[in-house]
Amino acid sequence: MPAQPLRPDDVKILSSLSLSSSAVTHLSLAQAQRLQLAAQGLLRAPRKRARRADVVEAIARMRLLQIDTIHVVARSPYLVLHSRLGDYEPMWLDEALAQGQLAECWAHEACFVTASDYAWHRAWRGQRDTHWAHRHAARMHRDQRDGMDGLLARIRDSGPVRAADFTREDRGVSGWWSWKPEKRWLEAWFALGELMVARRERFQRVYDLAENVIARLDPPLDGEPATLEHAALRQRFILDSVRALGITQARWIADYYRLKPAVTEQELVPLVASGELLKVSVSDWKVPGYVHADHVDLLKQAAQGRLRATHTTLLSPFDPLVWDRARVLAMFGFEYTIECYVPAPKRRYGYYVLPILHRGRLIGRLDAKAHRVEGVFEVKSLHLEAGEEPTPGLLQDLAEAVVACAQWHATPKIRLGRCQPSGMAPALRALWRG
């Protein structure tokens, strides 16, 4: 259930909790990394076979799941869940949306959020006029009001639609920059909150009136957030960001929900005083780290060296762990760029490069493509970070992670291209043959 504004008794309890953990004032960087991985559900490999409910639970832990349509491997939201759940059925995400357990809205970018969190996002939509999607949608409605209003009236009269239900005259034109008008209008109404996504069909959005989708949410929409002032709503998103990140500097908080202006340390002082946030120092950080009170036990375990990282997996470029490039560089020393937006001759690592998480560290990246018809999972290139040694243990874990990802894609045959260091290739091929 979404967190509620604190009552005086709650503040006393949290303050007491904060005092009881006052011995934890410092973490090493490695301890901070493991705390963040634990909060994100990436510290340990799944201990049991995934269940349907795990999809919603994973999104609740992350607070949101970013949507992206690139499909050279599984689309990002499905891959983010695979990194945490292992072998699960992608249709479970689609079913959770259709059944009202999840909703789509603009948050970090376009995201899935849990039904129990959606009320906060709907209450916040009036504050999203600084987000590019909202600004663009509002401008489009000013400029193309007749078409947009007519489309909304059609949906009100005739029911849900897909963009594919509308034909276009210039069939030779393609690309998101040349969407047909109805597609742009549907997206604009979605950004403005008048339309929502009732379900997806082969990942295509089916749009319906927001009131119809809201009526099917499970649990039902909580109206209380709509009565809160801007400051209380912003505070909620700040706290949720810190909870999702496990540990964070103040400067990284705003990016999680695209809050503006940036969150400052001064803004966090009352939250530390109330006990809702805990303040710690981290080795090599010149500024404090902040931990949500919900993670006090994880904080203690991290400080005592009891958070053991055992998970090796491939991450989506849009995974919450890595989408903030400044944060992932400071936290894990991992410099990362999504090169699908870079002209091919200027790419360093490849088109759709997946970071490799290995036992608490980001140790490399690989450029992958799933050839679904041929049943082939192609690793076009694989690079370890400078200083990473391809030890037998690392290669074994990496080989198993690639096999797990390939089998989940139903592309069990693995094709390996260039590697750096080059000596990894024969060892990996031998492991895959064995």
Side-chain angles (χ1 to χ4, degrees):
M1 294 294 293
Q4 302 299 317
L6 290 177
R7 301 182 299 270
D9 287 346
D10 297 326
V11 173
K12 290 178 183 178
I13 292 170
L14 286 171
S15 297
S16 174
L17 181 62
S18 177
L19 290 171
S20 70
S21 62
S22 60
V24 182
T25 59
H26 182 79
L27 297 177
S28 69
L29 181 57
Q31 289 168 340
Q33 291 168 350
R34 287 170 186 153
L35 175 55
Q36 186 162 101
L37 291 169
Q40 279 283 317
L42 287 167
L43 188 68
R44 300 186 182 96
R47 296 180 179 177
K48 57 185 179 180
R49 189 170 182 83
R51 306 163 301 147
R52 291 174 185 270
D54 293 335
V55 167
V56 177
E57 290 175 7
I59 297 171
R61 179 194 289 267
M62 295 181 288
R63 314 310 295 186
L64 41 73
L65 178 61
Q66 185 176 343
I67 299 167
D68 190 81
T69 60
I70 295 175
H71 201 208
V72 292
V73 292
R75 291 184 176 93
S76 179
Y78 302 102
L79 186 57
V80 170
L81 292 171
H82 179 262
S83 300
R84 289 155 175 80
L85 304 180
D87 189 14
Y88 80 102
E89 293 292 339
M91 70 177 67
W92 293 347
L93 178 62
D94 305 335
E95 289 171 355
L97 176 66
Q99 293 165 4
Q101 297 172 288
L102 300 175
E104 292 189 30
C105 66
W106 282 94
H108 177 79
E109 291 294 327
C111 292
F112 295 102
V113 300
T114 63
S116 56
D117 270 355
Y118 179 70
W120 296 89
H121 293 279
R122 190 153 187 86
W124 185 251
R125 65 182 178 139
Q127 318 297 327
R128 286 216 169 272
D129 53 359
T130 58
H131 196 292
W132 69 266
H134 191 280
R135 293 199 313 270
H136 178 73
R139 182 171 60 250
M140 182 172 293
H141 189 231
R142 289 194 300 270
D143 296 343
Q144 302 177 38
R145 183 178 299 270
D146 289 347
M148 284 186 64
D149 289 352
L151 177 61
L152 194 64
R154 167 180 167 166
I155 296 171
R156 186 172 289 111
D157 292 340
S158 304
V161 299
R162 303 169 303 156
D165 295 333
F166 302 90
T167 58
R168 64 175 306 150
E169 297 178 1
D170 50 345
R171 292 180 178 273
V173 180
S174 63
W176 62 265
W177 57 87
S178 58
W179 281 346
K180 53 195 169 189
E182 291 86 358
K183 170 63 173 174
R184 294 197 298 268
W185 297 341
L186 288 167
E187 288 294 307
W189 279 130
F190 171 65
L192 294 172
E194 295 298 326
L195 294 181
M196 289 179 65
V197 181
R199 63 187 184 278
R200 283 179 177 262
E201 297 177 357
R202 300 189 178 211
F203 210 67
Q204 292 184 55
R205 283 172 166 159
V206 178
Y207 301 86
D208 197 359
L209 298 177
E211 61 212 56
N212 295 338
V213 178
I214 288 171
R216 297 193 297 269
L217 291 181
D218 179 21
L221 187 72
D222 177 6
E224 183 177 356
T227 67
L228 297 179
E229 298 294 332
H230 168 85
L233 290 168
R234 177 177 166 92
Q235 185 179 101
R236 159 69 188 234
F237 287 116
I238 288 172
L239 289 170
D240 275 0
S241 298
V242 179
R243 184 191 291 109
L245 289 169
I247 185 167
T248 180
Q249 296 180 12
R251 65 192 175 109
W252 300 332
I253 295 173
D255 175 75
Y256 209 78
Y257 286 106
R258 300 290 202 229
L259 301 178
K260 291 187 179 182
V263 177
T264 65
E265 290 183 32
Q266 187 62 34
E267 189 174 6
L268 302 181
V269 168
L271 299 176
V272 173
S274 70
E276 295 164 269
L277 295 183
L278 309 175
K279 189 175 180 179
V280 299
S281 65
V282 177
S283 297
D284 302 325
W285 288 10
K286 296 180 181 179
V287 295
Y290 296 90
V291 177
H292 196 282
D294 283 1
H295 291 322
V296 63
D297 288 339
L298 282 178
L299 175 60
K300 290 178 181 178
Q301 292 175 51
Q304 294 166 4
R306 294 193 290 119
L307 291 183
R308 183 167 172 260
T310 62
H311 197 22
T312 300
T313 191
L314 309 181
L315 301 178
S316 162
F318 304 101
D319 194 290
L321 189 74
V322 300
W323 71 33
D324 184 333
R325 309 313 180 200
R327 167 165 50 86
V328 75
L329 179 60
M331 282 292 301
F332 293 93
F334 191 72
E335 188 172 354
Y336 185 50
T337 300
I338 302 179
E339 294 187 297
C340 55
Y341 305 122
V342 175
K346 296 184 178 181
R347 290 177 193 143
R348 183 178 178 187
Y349 296 109
Y351 176 77
Y352 199 69
V353 175
L354 311 180
I356 304 168
L357 176 67
H358 172 63
R359 296 180 180 265
R361 297 178 294 116
L362 292 170
I363 55 95
R365 61 198 85 202
L366 61 82
D367 184 24
K369 179 176 177 62
H371 300 272
R372 295 165 179 84
V373 174
E374 299 92 334
V376 172
F377 191 83
E378 181 184 9
V379 179
K380 295 183 175 183
S381 66
L382 193 161
H383 295 79
L384 292 188
E385 293 293 278
E388 291 290 345
E389 292 294 328
T391 63
L394 184 151
L395 290 174
Q396 181 70 44
D397 286 353
L398 177 56
E400 291 176 0
V402 174
V403 166
C405 193
Q407 290 180 341
W408 175 69
H409 277 84
T411 52
K413 184 178 179 180
I414 300 170
R415 182 190 303 154
L416 180 61
R418 58 191 174 93
C419 291
Q420 180 63 39
S422 58
M424 289 192 300
L428 286 171
R429 291 190 182 103
L431 288 167
W432 289 329
R433 285 196 302 269

